[in-house]
Amino acid sequence: MDEEEAEEMQSEADKAKSVNGELDLDIHLVGMPRKGGNNKEGDMRYNGRLLSEEPLARLDKHTADVIAVSWTANGRLLSASLDGTVRLWEMDNFTTVRRFACPSAMSAMAAHPTKSRYMVTGSMDKKLRVWEVNTGDILYTTNTPDIVTSISF
């Protein structure tokens, strides 16, 4: 990919799409983790391209910008938004399985790479939260000195 193509892709990625007042998250990935897969290298269905021309799905339940997405170890997708929610998506039928609400806008999020039951979020209220994905319970909360802008397990 040359520099011009990269800039065009970034420009397209920067454009927000709106339908009925809800922001859309268009999924253009061709390779997705296999359900029940361990997300190791080679564990993705892949046809030689990273992005497709047309969206695989439109995930349109957030009401503000999506700031992070992360695959769970069991092949579901988590999306975090400035609307103060994280959504867990079932990729077989592109539906929301669970909605996690926070009193403040999300600023970062990551799924645990091997244990699909855990995720961690950072929010504008300067808190770091560890969640139990299956129940929606917050397992741990701690204050941080500033807004969390990046998280990784």
Coordinates of all heavy atoms in Angstrom, one line a residue, residues 88-131:
L88 N -21.0 -5.8 23.9 CA -20.4 -7.1 23.5 C -21.3 -7.6 22.3 O -22.5 -7.7 22.4 CB -20.5 -8.1 24.7 CG -20.1 -9.5 24.4 CD1 -18.6 -9.6 24.1 CD2 -20.4 -10.4 25.6
W89 N -20.6 -7.9 21.2 CA -21.3 -8.2 20.0 C -21.1 -9.7 19.6 O -20.0 -10.2 19.7 CB -20.8 -7.4 18.8 CG -21.0 -5.9 19.0 CD1 -20.1 -5.1 19.5 CD2 -22.1 -5.1 18.5 NE1 -20.6 -3.8 19.5 CE2 -21.9 -3.8 18.9 CE3 -23.3 -5.4 17.9 CZ2 -22.7 -2.8 18.6 CZ3 -24.2 -4.4 17.6 CH2 -23.9 -3.1 18.0
E90 N -22.2 -10.4 19.3 CA -22.1 -11.7 18.8 C -22.0 -11.6 17.3 O -22.8 -11.0 16.6 CB -23.4 -12.5 19.1 CG -23.4 -13.9 18.6 CD -22.3 -14.8 19.2 OE1 -22.3 -14.9 20.4 OE2 -21.5 -15.3 18.4
M91 N -20.9 -12.1 16.7 CA -20.5 -11.9 15.3 C -21.3 -12.8 14.4 O -21.3 -12.6 13.2 CB -19.0 -12.0 15.1 CG -18.3 -10.9 15.9 SD -18.9 -9.2 15.7 CE -18.5 -8.9 14.0
D92 N -21.9 -13.9 14.9 CA -22.7 -14.8 14.0 C -23.9 -14.1 13.5 O -24.3 -14.3 12.3 CB -23.1 -16.0 14.8 CG -22.0 -17.0 15.1 OD1 -20.9 -16.8 14.5 OD2 -22.1 -17.8 16.0
N93 N -24.5 -13.2 14.3 CA -25.7 -12.5 13.8 C -25.7 -11.0 14.0 O -26.7 -10.3 13.8 CB -27.0 -13.1 14.5 CG -26.9 -13.1 16.0 OD1 -26.0 -12.5 16.6 ND2 -27.8 -13.9 16.6
F94 N -24.5 -10.5 14.5 CA -24.3 -9.1 14.6 C -25.3 -8.4 15.6 O -25.8 -7.4 15.3 CB -24.2 -8.4 13.3 CG -23.3 -9.0 12.3 CD1 -23.8 -9.7 11.2 CD2 -21.9 -9.0 12.5 CE1 -22.9 -10.3 10.3 CE2 -21.0 -9.6 11.6 CZ -21.5 -10.3 10.5
T95 N -25.5 -9.1 16.7 CA -26.4 -8.5 17.7 C -25.6 -8.2 19.0 O -24.6 -8.8 19.2 CB -27.6 -9.5 18.0 OG1 -27.0 -10.7 18.5 CG2 -28.4 -9.7 16.8
T96 N -26.2 -7.3 19.8 CA -25.6 -7.0 21.1 C -26.0 -8.0 22.1 O -27.2 -8.3 22.3 CB -26.1 -5.6 21.6 OG1 -25.7 -4.6 20.6 CG2 -25.5 -5.2 22.9
V97 N -25.0 -8.6 22.7 CA -25.2 -9.7 23.7 C -25.4 -9.0 25.1 O -26.2 -9.4 25.9 CB -24.0 -10.7 23.7 CG1 -24.2 -11.7 24.8 CG2 -23.9 -11.4 22.4
R98 N -24.5 -8.0 25.3 CA -24.6 -7.3 26.6 C -24.1 -5.9 26.4 O -23.3 -5.6 25.6 CB -23.7 -8.0 27.6 CG -23.7 -7.4 29.0 CD -22.9 -8.2 30.0 NE -23.4 -9.6 30.1 CZ -24.5 -10.1 30.7 NH1 -25.3 -9.2 31.3 NH2 -24.7 -11.3 30.8
R99 N -24.7 -5.0 27.2 CA -24.3 -3.6 27.3 C -23.8 -3.3 28.7 O -24.5 -3.5 29.7 CB -25.6 -2.8 26.9 CG -25.3 -1.3 27.0 CD -26.7 -0.5 26.7 NE -26.5 0.9 26.8 CZ -26.7 1.6 27.9 NH1 -27.0 1.0 29.1 NH2 -26.5 2.9 28.0
F100 N -22.6 -2.7 28.7 CA -22.0 -2.3 30.0 C -22.1 -0.8 30.1 O -21.6 -0.1 29.2 CB -20.5 -2.8 30.0 CG -20.3 -4.2 29.7 CD1 -20.2 -4.7 28.4 CD2 -20.3 -5.2 30.7 CE1 -20.0 -6.0 28.1 CE2 -20.1 -6.5 30.5 CZ -20.0 -6.9 29.2
A101 N -22.7 -0.3 31.1 CA -22.8 1.2 31.3 C -21.9 1.7 32.4 O -21.7 1.1 33.4 CB -24.2 1.5 31.6
C102 N -21.3 2.8 32.1 CA -20.4 3.5 33.0 C -20.9 4.9 33.2 O -21.5 5.5 32.3 CB -19.0 3.5 32.3 SG -17.7 4.3 33.3
P103 N -20.7 5.5 34.3 CA -21.2 6.9 34.5 C -20.4 8.0 33.8 O -20.8 9.1 33.8 CB -21.0 7.1 36.1 CG -20.0 6.1 36.5 CD -20.1 5.0 35.5
S104 N -19.4 7.6 33.1 CA -18.5 8.5 32.4 C -18.2 8.0 31.0 O -18.3 6.8 30.8 CB -17.3 8.8 33.2 OG -16.4 9.7 32.5
A105 N -17.8 8.8 30.1 CA -17.5 8.4 28.7 C -16.2 7.5 28.8 O -15.3 7.7 29.6 CB -17.2 9.6 27.8
M106 N -16.2 6.4 28.0 CA -15.1 5.5 27.9 C -13.9 6.2 27.2 O -14.1 7.0 26.3 CB -15.5 4.3 27.1 CG -16.5 3.4 27.8 SD -15.9 2.7 29.3 CE -17.4 2.0 29.9
S107 N -12.7 6.0 27.6 CA -11.5 6.5 27.0 C -10.6 5.4 26.5 O -9.7 5.7 25.7 CB -10.8 7.4 27.9 OG -10.4 6.8 29.1
A108 N -10.8 4.2 27.0 CA -9.9 3.1 26.5 C -10.6 1.8 27.0 O -11.4 1.8 27.9 CB -8.5 3.2 27.1
M109 N -10.3 0.7 26.3 CA -10.8 -0.6 26.6 C -10.0 -1.7 26.0 O -9.4 -1.5 24.9 CB -12.3 -0.7 26.1 CG -13.0 -2.0 26.3 SD -12.8 -3.3 25.0 CE -13.4 -2.4 23.6
A110 N -9.9 -2.9 26.7 CA -9.2 -4.0 26.1 C -9.9 -5.3 26.7 O -10.2 -5.4 27.9 CB -7.7 -4.0 26.5
A111 N -10.0 -6.3 25.8 CA -10.4 -7.6 26.3 C -9.2 -8.4 26.7 O -8.1 -8.2 26.1 CB -11.1 -8.3 25.1
H112 N -9.4 -9.3 27.7 CA -8.3 -10.2 28.1 C -7.9 -11.1 26.9 O -8.8 -11.7 26.3 CB -8.7 -11.0 29.3 CG -7.5 -11.7 30.0 ND1 -7.0 -12.8 29.4 CD2 -6.8 -11.3 31.1 CE1 -6.0 -13.2 30.2 NE2 -5.8 -12.3 31.2
P113 N -6.7 -11.3 26.6 CA -6.3 -12.1 25.4 C -6.6 -13.6 25.4 O -6.8 -14.2 24.4 CB -4.8 -11.8 25.2 CG -4.4 -11.5 26.6 CD -5.5 -10.8 27.3
T114 N -6.7 -14.2 26.6 CA -7.0 -15.6 26.7 C -8.2 -16.0 27.6 O -8.7 -17.1 27.5 CB -5.7 -16.3 27.3 OG1 -5.5 -15.8 28.6 CG2 -4.5 -16.2 26.4
K115 N -8.7 -15.0 28.4 CA -9.8 -15.3 29.2 C -11.0 -14.4 28.8 O -11.0 -13.2 29.2 CB -9.5 -15.1 30.7 CG -8.4 -16.1 31.2 CD -8.0 -15.8 32.6 CE -6.9 -16.8 32.9 NZ -6.3 -16.5 34.2
S116 N -11.9 -14.9 28.0 CA -13.0 -14.1 27.4 C -13.9 -13.5 28.5 O -14.7 -12.7 28.1 CB -13.7 -14.9 26.4 OG -14.3 -16.1 27.1
R117 N -13.8 -13.9 29.7 CA -14.7 -13.4 30.7 C -14.2 -12.0 31.3 O -15.0 -11.4 32.1 CB -15.0 -14.4 31.8 CG -13.7 -14.8 32.6 CD -14.0 -15.9 33.6 NE -14.7 -15.3 34.7 CZ -14.7 -15.8 35.9 NH1 -14.1 -16.9 36.1 NH2 -15.3 -15.2 36.9
Y118 N -13.1 -11.5 30.9 CA -12.6 -10.3 31.5 C -12.3 -9.2 30.5 O -11.8 -9.5 29.4 CB -11.2 -10.5 32.3 CG -11.4 -11.5 33.4 CD1 -10.7 -12.7 33.4 CD2 -12.2 -11.2 34.5 CE1 -10.8 -13.6 34.4 CE2 -12.3 -12.1 35.6 CZ -11.6 -13.3 35.5 OH -11.7 -14.2 36.5
M119 N -12.6 -8.0 30.8 CA -12.2 -6.8 30.1 C -11.8 -5.7 31.1 O -12.3 -5.8 32.2 CB -13.3 -6.3 29.1 CG -14.4 -5.6 29.7 SD -15.4 -4.7 28.5 CE -16.8 -4.4 29.5
V120 N -11.1 -4.8 30.6 CA -10.7 -3.6 31.4 C -11.1 -2.4 30.6 O -10.9 -2.3 29.4 CB -9.2 -3.7 31.8 CG1 -8.3 -3.6 30.6 CG2 -8.9 -2.6 32.8
T121 N -11.6 -1.4 31.4 CA -11.9 -0.1 30.7 C -11.3 1.1 31.5 O -11.1 1.0 32.7 CB -13.4 0.2 30.7 OG1 -14.0 0.2 32.0 CG2 -14.2 -0.9 29.9
G122 N -11.0 2.1 30.8 CA -10.6 3.4 31.3 C -11.7 4.4 30.9 O -12.3 4.3 29.9
S123 N -12.0 5.4 31.8 CA -13.0 6.4 31.4 C -12.6 7.8 31.8 O -11.6 8.0 32.5 CB -14.3 6.0 32.1 OG -14.1 5.8 33.5
M124 N -13.4 8.7 31.3 CA -13.1 10.1 31.5 C -13.1 10.5 33.0 O -12.6 11.6 33.4 CB -14.0 11.0 30.7 CG -13.9 10.8 29.2 SD -12.4 11.3 28.6 CE -12.6 11.2 26.9
D125 N -13.7 9.7 33.9 CA -13.8 10.0 35.3 C -12.5 9.5 36.0 O -12.4 9.5 37.2 CB -15.0 9.4 36.0 CG -15.0 7.9 35.9 OD1 -14.1 7.3 35.3 OD2 -16.1 7.3 36.3
K126 N -11.5 9.2 35.2 CA -10.1 8.8 35.7 C -10.2 7.5 36.5 O -9.5 7.4 37.5 CB -9.5 10.0 36.5 CG -9.3 11.2 35.7 CD -8.7 12.3 36.6 CE -8.6 13.6 35.8 NZ -8.1 14.7 36.6
K127 N -11.0 6.6 36.1 CA -11.1 5.3 36.8 C -10.8 4.2 35.8 O -11.1 4.2 34.7 CB -12.5 5.1 37.4 CG -12.8 6.1 38.5 CD -14.1 5.7 39.2 CE -14.6 6.7 40.2 NZ -13.7 6.7 41.4
L128 N -10.2 3.2 36.4 CA -9.9 2.0 35.7 C -10.8 0.9 36.3 O -10.8 0.8 37.5 CB -8.4 1.6 35.9 CG -7.8 0.5 35.0 CD1 -7.7 1.0 33.6 CD2 -6.4 0.2 35.5
R129 N -11.5 0.2 35.4 CA -12.4 -0.9 35.9 C -12.1 -2.2 35.2 O -11.9 -2.2 34.0 CB -13.9 -0.5 35.6 CG -14.3 0.8 36.4 CD -15.7 1.2 35.9 NE -16.2 2.3 36.7 CZ -16.0 3.6 36.4 NH1 -15.3 3.9 35.3 NH2 -16.5 4.6 37.1
V130 N -12.2 -3.3 36.0 CA -12.1 -4.6 35.5 C -13.5 -5.2 35.6 O -14.1 -5.2 36.6 CB -11.1 -5.5 36.3 CG1 -11.1 -6.9 35.7 CG2 -9.7 -4.9 36.2
W131 N -14.0 -5.7 34.4 CA -15.3 -6.2 34.3 C -15.4 -7.7 34.1 O -14.5 -8.3 33.5 CB -16.0 -5.6 33.1 CG -16.1 -4.1 33.1 CD1 -15.1 -3.2 32.8 CD2 -17.3 -3.3 33.3 NE1 -15.6 -1.9 32.9 CE2 -16.9 -1.9 33.1 CE3 -18.6 -3.6 33.6 CZ2 -17.8 -0.9 33.3 CZ3 -19.5 -2.5 33.7 CH2 -19.1 -1.2 33.5

